[in-house]
């Protein structure tokens, strides 16, 4: 992850794959461009790298099919909405760019969605989870909104008989949104209470003062709303402090590598997610197998959401006429995305609601015996 943060990744061009050989077909595949903006050198570099891998794998598979050939352009927006805006403008100036995969963070998605509306080009976010005001009808996302994550975790807490929960979250929109939605859904009939709600700064490495305060409240569980960078440290220090409480966490923790790294410290961790890597569904099994073969590691939710973002774009492109030269019908691409119904994605059966959110239910996963299992 540190290498990803420090790398000076300005622009990557992924070679076009899937060239037709010989006379297998008299019709060449339609050629389009796809721009991808990710914060590859930022505080969420690890998650962005997963998304990059998911995008690359999906593009390779789309090109291998031979019906649509995608030229992929990946740029590092560094988590800056100013830089993202410049890169976005440069990308959409090309009339052959069909869509932009990006707005990975809430801040960048909020900045880019009005620009996408003005440019009349689909913007598909694989990572933004917060509320996107003034998103417009060219914004879509395969990420799980933070509000749904908080609600899913609160519902789990209620079903499990938890009535006293301490809340700890980072200062990002992601962490705050998950925490706020959890608190709103958790409090209510039944005598549930939040024993305390605290914030920590990005980069925190000593959670002992927080753990001491949580212990004094005598909660039944802890909600940790943030990213695994700090979450790994929190969980390890909680074990060291003997604070053996269930920990509830958002989808950033739905990563098999987190479980592997933490070992016993991850046991009992409860996570909201779009993606279950051990699902027996054919689409998921195929994706996990291909991802492992290509990268040598297991995919996480960010990889899966980015993979689905490219795949639904490919689905839409197959349903419009793509001219051999000249501008693409971006509004046609947008309409095909909006009309998507029952697409079998690796993050669930997908369709988009009027706000561009992927309409599906959140999964709740639990670490049991060093692996994730689905909580009924």
């Amino acid at each position: 992850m540190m290498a990803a943060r420090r790398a000076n990744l300005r622009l990557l061009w992924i070679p076009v794959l899937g060239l037709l050989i010989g006379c297998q077909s008299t019709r060449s595949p339609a050629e389009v461009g796809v721009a991808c903006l990710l914060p590859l050198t930022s505080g969420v570099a690890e998650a962005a790298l997963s998304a990059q891998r998911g995008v690359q794998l999906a593009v390779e598979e789309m090109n291998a099919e031979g019906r649509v050939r995608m030229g992929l352009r990946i740029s590092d927006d560094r988590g800056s909405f100013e830089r993202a805006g410049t890169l976005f403008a440069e990308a959409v100036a090309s009339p052959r760019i069909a869509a932009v995969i990006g707005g990975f963070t809430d801040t960048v998605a909020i900045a880019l969605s009005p620009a996408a509306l003005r440019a009349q080009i689909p913007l598909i976010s694989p990572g933004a989870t917060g509320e996107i005001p003034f998103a417009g009808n060219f914004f879509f996302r395969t990420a799980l909104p933070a509000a749904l994550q908080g609600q899913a975790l609160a519902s789990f807490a209620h079903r499990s008989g938890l009535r006293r929960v301490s809340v700890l979250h980072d200062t990002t929109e992601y962490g705050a949104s998950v925490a706020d939605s959890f608190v709103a859904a958790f409090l209510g009939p039944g005598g549930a209470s939040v024993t305390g709600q605290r914030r920590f700064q990005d980069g925190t490495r000593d959670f002992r003062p927080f753990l001491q305060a949580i212990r004094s409240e005598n909660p039944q569980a802890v909600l940790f709303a943030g990213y695994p960078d700090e979450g790994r440290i929190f969980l390890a220090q909680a074990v060291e402090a003997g604070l053996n409480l269930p920990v509830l966490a958002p989808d950033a923790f739905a990563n098999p590598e987190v479980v592997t790294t933490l070992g016993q410290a991850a046991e009992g961790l409860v996570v909201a997610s779009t993606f279950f890597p051990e699902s027996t569904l054919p689409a998921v099994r195929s994706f996990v197998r291909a991802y492992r073969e290509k990268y040598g590691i297991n995919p996480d939710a960010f990889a899966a959401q980015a993979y689905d973002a490219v795949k639904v774009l490919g689905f839409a492109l197959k349903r419009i006429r793509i001219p051999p030269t000249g501008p693409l019908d971006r509004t046609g691409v947008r309409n095909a995305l909006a009309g998507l119904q029952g697409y079998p994605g690796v993050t669930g059966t997908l369709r988009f609601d009027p706000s561009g959110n992927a309409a599906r239910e959140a999964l709740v996963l639990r670490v049991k015996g060093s692996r994730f299992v689905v909580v009924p």
Side-chain angles (χ1 to χ4, degrees), residues 66-131:
R67 291 183 60 186
V68 177
R69 187 164 57 193
M70 295 179 173
L72 175 62
R73 171 181 180 172
I74 299 179
S75 303
D76 180 12
D77 65 30
R78 303 176 190 164
S80 161
F81 68 87
E82 295 98 340
R83 178 173 171 80
T86 299
L87 293 170
F88 178 88
E90 292 173 356
V92 302
S94 169
R96 297 298 292 184
I97 296 290
V100 176
I101 308 295
F104 189 76
T105 62
D106 293 348
T107 301
V108 173
I110 289 169
L112 292 186
S113 53
L117 179 60
R118 289 192 297 271
Q120 300 282 281
I121 186 169
L123 176 71
I124 311 174
S125 172
T129 60
E131 183 179 353

Side-chain angles (χ1 to χ4, degrees), residues 1 48 74 80 86 103 117 129 154 158 160 199 247 273 280 295 301 373:
M1 175 181 175
I74 299 179
S80 161
T86 299
L117 179 60
T129 60
H158 286 150
S160 301
R199 294 188 304 171
V247 175
S273 182
T280 58
Y295 302 113
V373 297

Side-chain angles (χ1 to χ4, degrees), residues 294-313:
K294 182 171 178 63
Y295 302 113
I297 58 175
N298 291 313
D300 62 10
F302 293 113
Q305 289 163 185
Y307 178 89
D308 271 352
V310 173
K311 287 302 185 97
V312 295
L313 173 60

Side-chain angles (χ1 to χ4, degrees), residues 343-370:
Y343 180 83
V346 299
T347 61
T349 302
L350 298 177
R351 67 177 179 85
F352 294 108
D353 69 16
S355 298
N357 299 314
R360 60 175 172 231
E361 293 184 3
L363 293 172
V364 177
L365 309 178
R366 178 180 236 155
V367 178
K368 185 177 181 180
S370 299

Side-chain angles (χ1 to χ4, degrees), residues 5 168 200-208 210-211 224 227-241 253 258 261-262 265:
R5 289 184 178 183
L168 182 63
F200 64 88
Q201 296 294 324
D202 181 36
T204 296
R205 291 296 178 265
D206 184 4
F207 286 93
R208 293 176 184 88
F210 294 100
L211 290 166
F224 184 96
Y227 289 95
D229 307 52
E230 292 79 23
R232 289 188 180 97
I233 298 169
F234 172 80
L235 289 168
Q237 291 179 356
V239 170
E240 291 174 2
F253 287 78
V258 172
T261 301
L262 284 169

Side-chain angles (χ1 to χ4, degrees), residues 24-338:
Q24 295 176 357
S25 172
T26 57
R27 182 180 178 183
S28 298
E31 296 187 9
V32 302
V34 178
C36 181
L37 309 182
L38 293 170
L40 293 165
T41 50
S42 71
V44 293
E46 185 174 11
L49 182 58
S50 289
Q52 176 187 318
R53 290 167 174 158
V55 165
Q56 291 172 333
L57 177 60
V59 167
E60 289 181 8
E61 291 181 356
M62 291 298 306
N63 288 344
E65 287 181 11
R67 291 183 60 186
V68 177
R69 187 164 57 193
M70 295 179 173
L72 175 62
R73 171 181 180 172
I74 299 179
S75 303
D76 180 12
D77 65 30
R78 303 176 190 164
S80 161
F81 68 87
E82 295 98 340
R83 178 173 171 80
T86 299
L87 293 170
F88 178 88
E90 292 173 356
V92 302
S94 169
R96 297 298 292 184
I97 296 290
V100 176
I101 308 295
F104 189 76
T105 62
D106 293 348
T107 301
V108 173
I110 289 169
L112 292 186
S113 53
L117 179 60
R118 289 192 297 271
Q120 300 282 281
I121 186 169
L123 176 71
I124 311 174
S125 172
T129 60
E131 183 179 353
I132 310 297
F134 315 112
N137 61 0
F138 277 77
F139 173 79
F140 302 88
R141 60 174 152 191
T142 53
L144 182 63
L148 294 183
Q149 296 186 44
Q151 292 165 17
L153 292 171
S155 177
F156 165 83
H158 286 150
R159 295 195 311 271
S160 301
L162 301 175
R163 294 293 178 265
R164 293 171 54 80
V165 176
S166 184
V167 174
L168 182 63
H169 66 87
D170 66 16
T171 55
T172 67
E173 286 289 333
Y174 175 66
S177 296
V178 171
D180 290 345
S181 62
F182 173 86
V183 170
F186 184 64
L187 296 178
S193 65
V194 171
T195 61
Q197 186 167 353
R198 298 174 178 83
R199 294 188 304 171
F200 64 88
Q201 296 294 324
D202 181 36
T204 296
R205 291 296 178 265
D206 184 4
F207 286 93
R208 293 176 184 88
F210 294 100
L211 290 166
Q212 184 176 2
I214 290 169
R215 183 191 293 278
S216 69
E217 297 167 358
N218 193 31
Q220 295 171 292
V222 178
L223 173 76
F224 184 96
Y227 289 95
D229 307 52
E230 292 79 23
R232 289 188 180 97
I233 298 169
F234 172 80
L235 289 168
Q237 291 179 356
V239 170
E240 291 174 2
L243 192 68
N244 298 316
L245 296 175
V247 175
L248 317 181
D251 64 348
F253 287 78
N255 183 340
E257 301 304 316
V258 172
V259 178
T260 301
T261 301
L262 284 169
Q264 190 60 32
E267 193 69 17
L269 178 68
V270 176
V271 179
S273 182
T274 59
F275 177 61
F276 178 48
E278 296 189 39
S279 169
T280 58
L281 292 175
V284 177
R285 293 179 67 178
S286 176
F287 165 64
V288 171
R289 181 172 57 251
Y291 193 95
R292 284 175 179 162
E293 289 176 355
K294 182 171 178 63
Y295 302 113
I297 58 175
N298 291 313
D300 62 10
F302 293 113
Q305 289 163 185
Y307 178 89
D308 271 352
V310 173
K311 287 302 185 97
V312 295
L313 173 60
F315 181 89
L317 288 169
K318 294 173 187 176
R319 276 149 184 78
I320 68 166
R321 179 185 175 275
I322 302 177
T325 59
L328 299 174
D329 179 10
R330 293 167 170 172
T331 299
V333 178
R334 179 264 161 206
N335 292 341
L337 284 168

